[in-house]
Structures are given as C-alpha cells and as structure tokens.
Amino acid sequence: MSNNIMDAPHGMNLVVECSDGTICIGRFDLCNGFEVLMHDCDLWDPGSPDSAGNTAEQWVRETATYGVDVKHRDFKLDAHLVQSWKALGEVEKLR
C-alpha cells in the first residue's frame, strides 16, 4: 500500500482510500497533482444509505471477489483527499 497516488500504475484497478472515509475502486488513469481520474468505478461512502449494514472491508473484499459494480464511467477526486491506495488484486477475496 502506498500513500502517494502519483506512484500508482496507469490502467490498474485500485482501491483508493480517502481522508473523508470514501473509498473508490476503479481503473486508475492519471493524477495531475490536483485531481485523480479513475474509470469504471464504484464508491463506498460511509454516510450513504447504500452502505448501511456493510463495512468498508466487507465491501472491498466483495468487490475483489466479484468485480467492480461500475456506477461511474469516469470519476474525478481531489488528490489531497487520497490517504492511501493499493492494487485491487492484493485484496483478500471472500471464501
């Protein structure tokens, strides 16, 4: 896991954790230092009714097991919010 999104490999599916609690899973395109551009993404927002009853870890592991439930073809997030990232392939899958 890395803290600097500028080190992320282009085209890889990533789990991006943000300081506001949001998690974005999708294909990393680029970071220009201000914004991160992701493609074919799904988001986990701790305040969303869709997230009720599901922990972030459960959601990430489910996504690693079954694939990304694409809800956003293109998604931008503020680079300063990125706390850490890791490859989706490194996440332990459900049994």
Side-chain angles (χ1 to χ4, degrees), residues 53-93:
N54 225 358
T55 67
E57 182 181 354
Q58 289 170 326
W59 178 77
V60 170
R61 288 184 66 202
E62 183 177 299
T63 301
T65 303
Y66 301 114
V68 180
D69 182 13
V70 176
K71 296 192 178 98
H72 304 274
R73 287 288 170 202
D74 303 305
F75 187 78
K76 291 181 182 178
L77 58 114
D78 290 335
H80 77 275
L81 291 177
V82 176
Q83 234 178 341
S84 64
W85 63 269
K86 63 182 163 188
L88 182 59
E90 295 177 3
V91 175
E92 183 180 352
K93 294 170 179 43

Side-chain angles (χ1 to χ4, degrees), residues 4-72:
N4 189 347
I5 193 68
M6 299 290 279
D7 296 335
H10 171 79
M12 182 177 275
N13 279 327
L14 301 180
V15 178
V16 179
E17 297 182 27
C18 297
S19 58
D20 64 359
T22 302
I23 300 173
C24 178
I25 299 179
R27 190 167 33 89
F28 175 74
D29 189 347
L30 62 89
C31 178
N32 64 12
F34 299 100
E35 290 182 320
V36 177
L37 177 60
M38 305 280 288
H39 300 291
D40 303 326
C41 302
D42 194 7
L43 299 173
W44 188 85
D45 179 358
S48 169
D50 295 338
S51 302
N54 225 358
T55 67
E57 182 181 354
Q58 289 170 326
W59 178 77
V60 170
R61 288 184 66 202
E62 183 177 299
T63 301
T65 303
Y66 301 114
V68 180
D69 182 13
V70 176
K71 296 192 178 98
H72 304 274

